[in-house]
Amino acid sequence: MERRDKTKKLTFGAVMTAVGVLLLLLGSSMPGMRIACSAIAGVIIAIIVMRCGLLYALLGVIATVLLSFLVVPAKEIVLVYSVFFGPYALVKNLIERLHKLLLEWLIKLLYCGVVAVLLLRFSDKVLAMVPAVMAAHVWMYLPAVLILFAVYDIVFSKLIVYLFQRLHIG
């Protein structure tokens, strides 16, 4: 019986991985939607976490990144997914096990800030995705990213609760 359960989890993770790759491919063809498609692909990983656990979700992130680097033409969307949105569902799950709201938010904002600065510092392609006003005034970049991240995290949490309660995923 346990082997059948593992097979179901692996199959579900593989299907969700394919959906994640398709979302990144879609974002690649729609320049204005690159960040949004990458963020939605990150939610797919949260579904794997809820349904199958962290190990299968980690495998999903790795597979999505590897496959996306092979098939997605816009590598910057894959880069943003691979260092931020993909792993964030895993990081979020681990951070929220602390059950200390202030500490959780501090760690999440620190994670976001570090990743955002590293992306900006080491990738010119990511800078091209940033609106021209912020690119010209880099000091505006981090506060804007942190505010958008906070909104994303709240929406992400509400979506997870909805999927868990209403659609019985998990």
Side-chain angles (χ1 to χ4, degrees):
M1 189 65 164
E2 186 173 314
R3 185 171 186 201
R4 182 179 218 162
D5 187 48
K6 287 181 181 179
T7 303
K8 283 182 179 181
K9 288 179 178 181
L10 193 58
T11 303
F12 182 80
V15 170
M16 291 293 106
T17 295
V19 171
V21 172
L22 287 172
L23 282 165
L24 294 176
L25 194 56
L26 178 66
S28 180
S29 66
M30 299 168 34
M33 294 295 294
R34 288 186 175 162
I35 299 284
C37 286
S38 185
I40 295 167
V43 173
I44 299 298
I45 298 303
I47 294 170
I48 299 173
V49 170
M50 291 186 319
R51 183 92 183 255
C52 306
L54 283 173
L55 176 62
Y56 290 94
L58 177 61
L59 292 173
V61 170
I62 292 167
T64 302
V65 168
L66 293 175
L67 290 169
S68 295
F69 269 117
L70 292 173
V71 301
V72 175
K75 301 302 183 212
E76 63 273 13
I77 188 175
V78 182
L79 179 64
V80 170
Y81 174 84
S82 64
V83 297
F84 186 75
F85 290 111
Y88 184 65
L90 306 172
V91 170
K92 180 177 176 61
N93 183 281
L94 294 171
I95 291 171
E96 290 182 353
R97 291 179 182 186
L98 297 172
H99 299 291
K100 295 182 179 176
L101 191 60
L102 184 58
L103 180 61
E104 290 172 12
W105 272 105
L106 287 173
I107 295 170
K108 288 177 190 179
L109 290 171
L110 180 65
Y111 171 79
C112 176
V114 168
V115 171
V117 168
L118 289 174
L119 279 171
L120 188 62
R121 176 90 170 112
F122 293 110
S123 178
D124 293 336
K125 289 187 178 222
V126 172
L127 186 59
M129 292 170 43
V130 174
V133 169
M134 272 197 262
H137 304 287
V138 177
W139 59 270
M140 293 172 58
Y141 171 76
L142 191 58
V145 167
L146 291 175
I147 290 168
L148 290 171
F149 167 75
V151 171
Y152 172 73
D153 185 74
I154 292 166
V155 171
F156 192 108
S157 295
K158 291 190 180 299
L159 183 61
I160 290 170
V161 168
Y162 175 79
L163 291 172
F164 191 80
Q165 291 177 344
R166 300 290 177 149
L167 302 179
H168 306 292
I169 294 177

